């Protein structure tokens, strides 16, 4: 019997088929730490503070799989963070490549510099994957909104049927949320900073090295080169200062990740509700053997929708922990920084699983327009109360109209008669004109557009498709353009 001491996703089935483990596993974090350390060394070479032969050493050390992950993790207990043993392992490996190479590893840096930069590297990779999956989800939702703009269904408020809407308009609402969150993700992806401050954040060691190798007058310029090139090598930006205890970037990242999971979760929860047996307007297309029960052979459960909702329910607590970690004392806090590590990783994992799952779910939705129409008919016209009240208000005033329709609605409910018939009788008794009664009678129709549904759908779908076209052109340009040395400062 194999000894499965690793996490196979037994309690997180939504993760299977996603890039969650690839992007956030211990191995992914170790690779990001390698990337951060070697990027710093390369930057020091670029600034002339480290011999150029270190570039070949960096190339030889670039693959994190050559390091003993288990040993590094075990040894991390002794120092309280994984960078301390990692630097020792990296130094020993460097010495095997070239004698003296370890002298040029981890120069001027502290553990938090490397781990925070690694966290930003991981976060950028996660953000790129989330944007890709949200684009996929958005493309499916845009098609659904367009295709079902005329598919009438009941709008529901507080769990009850309210007024008619269209499934296309509902899908456009989901799509609008996707648009908002993908824009926020792009913004944070492009502003994630490197961390480099040394022991207490003021670059004291690197300043001394720069002054020794150059003149005092040139030291600041050399340090600027180090920071710029460090950021360039890992695809991040240069902060104005080190941010060892300024954790705004972490809280903002947490906010966007939790919101992205919330967007996916809201969509999934709507699917769960609409797939209830007594509603059955939407269903998740399942493969043979999926959606079943261990006790009830007939069940067809909305599996993905349930798991996505579960992921979304977990993220607020994680985001709360990361916000709490903003309370960081001195130049390195006792526990607040450490509390971020697992919280951020689990939040990233849940977000990847939820958003990827939502993209898959949207592509497997079956829409039952006949059932949507049949459910509207269940109220015998009560869903038209708002519309007929508005028409009637033009003749008798809003207050009187509301009272008349409310009275008619209550009578229709109690007597099990259509609101259209009951209201017609009341209007005759009230002496309303034939023309008004005919207008009210005609208002009980599913034909015509409810409100500004078509215009709203058009705006959202157009915005998404314009963004998709720009993104596609940008990807083509980026693929054909050599990388530059330009690095933004935030």
């Amino acid at each position: 019997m194999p000894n499965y001491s690793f996490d196979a996703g037994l309690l997180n089935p939504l993760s299977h088929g996603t890039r969650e483990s690839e992007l956030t596993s211990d191995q992914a974090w170790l690779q990001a730490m390698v990337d951060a350390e070697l990027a710093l060394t390369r930057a020091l070479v670029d600034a002339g503070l480290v011999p150029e032969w270190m570039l070949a050493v960096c190339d030889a050390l670039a693959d994190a799989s050559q390091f003993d992950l288990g040993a590094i993790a075990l040894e991390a207990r002794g120092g309280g963070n994984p960078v301390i043993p990692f630097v020792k392992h990296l130094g020993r490996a460097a010495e095997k490549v070239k004698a003296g190479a370890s002298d040029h590893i981890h120069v001027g840096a502290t553990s938090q510099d490397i781990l925070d930069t690694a966290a930003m590297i991981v976060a950028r990779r996660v953000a790129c994957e989330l944007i890709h999956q949200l684009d996929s989800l958005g493309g499916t939702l845009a098609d659904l909104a367009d295709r079902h703009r005329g598919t009438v269904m009941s709008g529901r408020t507080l769990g009850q049927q309210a007024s008619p809407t269209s499934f296309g308009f509902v899908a456009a609402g989901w799509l609008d949320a996707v648009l908002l969150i993908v824009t926020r993700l792009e913004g944070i992806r492009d502003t994630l900073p490197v961390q480099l401050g040394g022991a207490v954040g003021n670059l004291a060691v690197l300043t001394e090295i720069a002054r020794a190798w150059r003149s005092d007058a040139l030291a600041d310029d050399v340090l600027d080169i180090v920071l710029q090139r460090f950021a360039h090598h890992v695809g991040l930006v240069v902060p104005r200062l080190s941010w060892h205890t300024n954790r705004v970037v972490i809280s903002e990242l947490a906010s966007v990740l939790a919101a992205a999971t919330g967007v996916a979760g809201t969509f999934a929860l709507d699917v769960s509700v609409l797939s209830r047996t007594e509603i059955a307007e939407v269903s998740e297309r399942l493969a043979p053997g999926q959606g079943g029960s261990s006790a009830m052979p007939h069940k067809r459960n909305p599996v993905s929708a349930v798991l996505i909702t579960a992921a979304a329910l977990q993220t607020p607590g994680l985001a709360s922990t990361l916000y709490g970690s903003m309370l960081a004392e001195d130049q390195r806090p006792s526990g607040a920084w450490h509390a971020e590590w697992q919280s951020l990783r689990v939040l990233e994992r849940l977000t990847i699983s939820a958003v990827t799952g939502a993209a898959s779910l949207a592509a497997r939705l079956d829409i039952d327009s006949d059932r949507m129409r049949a459910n509207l008919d269940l109220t015998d016209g009560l869903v038209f109360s708002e519309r007929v009240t508005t028409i009637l208000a033009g003749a008798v005033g809003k207050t009187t109209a509301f009272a008349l329709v409310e009275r008619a609605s209550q009578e229709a409910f109690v007597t099990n008669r259509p609101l259209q018939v009951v209201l017609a009788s009341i209007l005759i008794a009230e002496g309303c004109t034939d023309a008004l009664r005919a207008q009210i009678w005609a208002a009980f129709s599913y034909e015509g557009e409810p409100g500004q549904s078509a215009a709203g759908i058009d705006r959202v779908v157009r915005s998404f498709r314009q963004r998709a076209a720009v993104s596609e052109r940008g990807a083509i340009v980026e693929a054909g353009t050599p990388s530059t040395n330009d690095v933004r400062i935030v």
Side-chain angles (χ1 to χ4, degrees), residues 270-284 302:
D270 276 342
V271 170
S272 291
V273 170
L274 294 175
S275 65
R276 286 176 177 166
T277 305
E278 57 270 26
I279 297 177
E281 296 173 353
V282 170
S283 61
E284 177 181 347

Side-chain angles (χ1 to χ4, degrees), residues 233-461:
H233 287 306
V234 290
L236 300 174
V237 302
V238 179
R240 286 184 292 269
L241 286 175
S242 59
W243 43 281
H244 290 160
T245 54
N246 174 8
R247 311 307 284 177
V248 172
V249 63
I250 299 295
S251 64
E252 287 184 341
L253 176 59
S255 176
V256 174
L257 292 172
T261 312
V263 167
T266 298
F267 161 64
L269 184 58
D270 276 342
V271 170
S272 291
V273 170
L274 294 175
S275 65
R276 286 176 177 166
T277 305
E278 57 270 26
I279 297 177
E281 296 173 353
V282 170
S283 61
E284 177 181 347
R285 196 175 312 122
L286 298 167
Q290 294 182 339
S293 162
S294 64
M296 296 166 285
H298 73 282
K299 292 298 293 294
R300 286 181 55 82
N301 296 312
V303 179
S304 294
V306 169
L307 294 175
I308 294 165
T309 303
L313 288 169
Q314 296 172 67
T315 58
L318 295 164
S320 177
T321 298
L322 293 167
Y323 268 92
S325 293
M326 291 184 71
L327 301 182
E329 78 282 5
D330 300 326
Q331 281 63 61
R332 184 161 303 104
S334 304
W337 172 51
H338 310 74
E340 293 174 356
W341 307 341
Q342 276 287 73
S343 300
L344 180 58
R345 176 161 73 167
V346 175
L347 179 55
E348 289 170 332
R349 286 180 165 182
L350 288 170
T351 308
I352 292 170
S353 292
V355 170
T356 305
S360 172
L361 175 60
R364 294 181 289 107
L365 282 186
D366 289 325
I367 314 303
D368 191 338
S369 57
D370 291 337
R371 184 59 179 252
M372 289 177 175
R373 177 64 177 267
N375 286 340
L376 275 169
D377 292 338
L378 290 174
T379 67
D380 269 343
L382 291 175
V383 291
F384 293 107
S385 68
E386 183 184 38
R387 181 187 297 179
V388 296
T389 298
T390 303
I391 296 171
L392 189 57
V396 301
K398 179 182 177 182
T399 302
T400 300
F402 192 94
L404 285 172
V405 178
E406 184 178 37
R407 172 182 148 202
S409 297
Q410 291 172 348
E411 183 177 333
F413 179 78
V414 170
T415 61
N416 272 332
R417 289 189 296 156
L419 175 61
Q420 188 177 32
V421 173
V422 174
L423 185 58
S425 300
I426 291 176
L427 294 180
I428 291 172
E430 292 292 327
C432 293
T433 65
D434 291 345
L436 178 59
R437 286 189 282 112
Q439 186 181 6
I440 294 294
W441 187 269
F444 286 84
S445 170
Y446 298 123
E447 301 302 321
E449 181 199 347
Q452 287 290 305
S453 294
I457 292 169
D458 287 341
R459 282 194 300 272
V460 176
V461 171

Side-chain angles (χ1 to χ4, degrees), residues 74-331:
L74 181 64
E75 294 163 21
R77 178 66 178 83
N81 77 70
V83 177
I84 297 172
F86 164 64
V87 170
K88 295 177 181 178
H89 282 251
L90 186 64
R92 287 196 292 268
E95 287 296 319
K96 292 178 181 178
V97 177
K98 186 174 179 65
S102 62
D103 292 341
H104 307 297
I105 296 291
H106 199 68
V107 176
T110 191
S111 294
Q112 189 171 2
D113 291 332
I114 300 306
L115 200 58
D116 278 353
T117 299
M120 295 299 97
I121 293 170
V122 170
R124 180 175 173 81
R125 291 166 181 166
V126 167
C128 289
E129 173 64 9
L130 291 174
I131 291 166
H132 171 69
Q133 294 297 336
L134 285 166
D135 281 340
S136 175
L137 172 60
T140 303
L141 294 178
D143 291 342
L144 286 172
D146 221 359
R147 189 183 320 131
H148 290 282
R149 61 176 60 234
T151 303
V152 66
M153 67 177 292
S154 177
R156 295 175 173 88
T157 61
L158 304 182
Q160 305 294 308
Q161 290 202 23
S163 295
T165 185
S166 72
F167 182 71
F169 190 73
V170 171
W174 296 330
L175 176 60
D176 194 37
V178 168
L179 267 171
L180 287 170
I181 201 60
V182 79
T183 301
R184 287 188 64 193
L185 269 167
E186 287 176 328
I188 202 159
R189 174 200 62 188
D190 296 337
T191 55
L192 293 171
V194 292
Q195 178 77 281
L196 185 61
V200 295
N202 58 5
L203 287 171
V205 170
L206 280 177
T207 301
E208 289 299 319
I209 293 173
R211 286 172 178 168
W213 282 62
R214 298 289 187 264
S215 65
D216 287 353
L218 294 176
D220 287 346
D221 292 338
V222 171
L223 291 179
D224 283 343
I225 293 172
V226 172
L227 284 166
Q228 292 279 346
R229 297 302 295 166
F230 182 36
H232 168 74
H233 287 306
V234 290
L236 300 174
V237 302
V238 179
R240 286 184 292 269
L241 286 175
S242 59
W243 43 281
H244 290 160
T245 54
N246 174 8
R247 311 307 284 177
V248 172
V249 63
I250 299 295
S251 64
E252 287 184 341
L253 176 59
S255 176
V256 174
L257 292 172
T261 312
V263 167
T266 298
F267 161 64
L269 184 58
D270 276 342
V271 170
S272 291
V273 170
L274 294 175
S275 65
R276 286 176 177 166
T277 305
E278 57 270 26
I279 297 177
E281 296 173 353
V282 170
S283 61
E284 177 181 347
R285 196 175 312 122
L286 298 167
Q290 294 182 339
S293 162
S294 64
M296 296 166 285
H298 73 282
K299 292 298 293 294
R300 286 181 55 82
N301 296 312
V303 179
S304 294
V306 169
L307 294 175
I308 294 165
T309 303
L313 288 169
Q314 296 172 67
T315 58
L318 295 164
S320 177
T321 298
L322 293 167
Y323 268 92
S325 293
M326 291 184 71
L327 301 182
E329 78 282 5
D330 300 326
Q331 281 63 61

Side-chain angles (χ1 to χ4, degrees), residues 459-477:
R459 282 194 300 272
V460 176
V461 171
R462 182 170 57 249
S463 293
F464 174 79
R465 288 178 175 160
Q466 287 173 345
R467 181 197 170 280
V470 170
S471 297
E472 185 176 352
R473 288 197 298 271
I476 293 173
V477 171

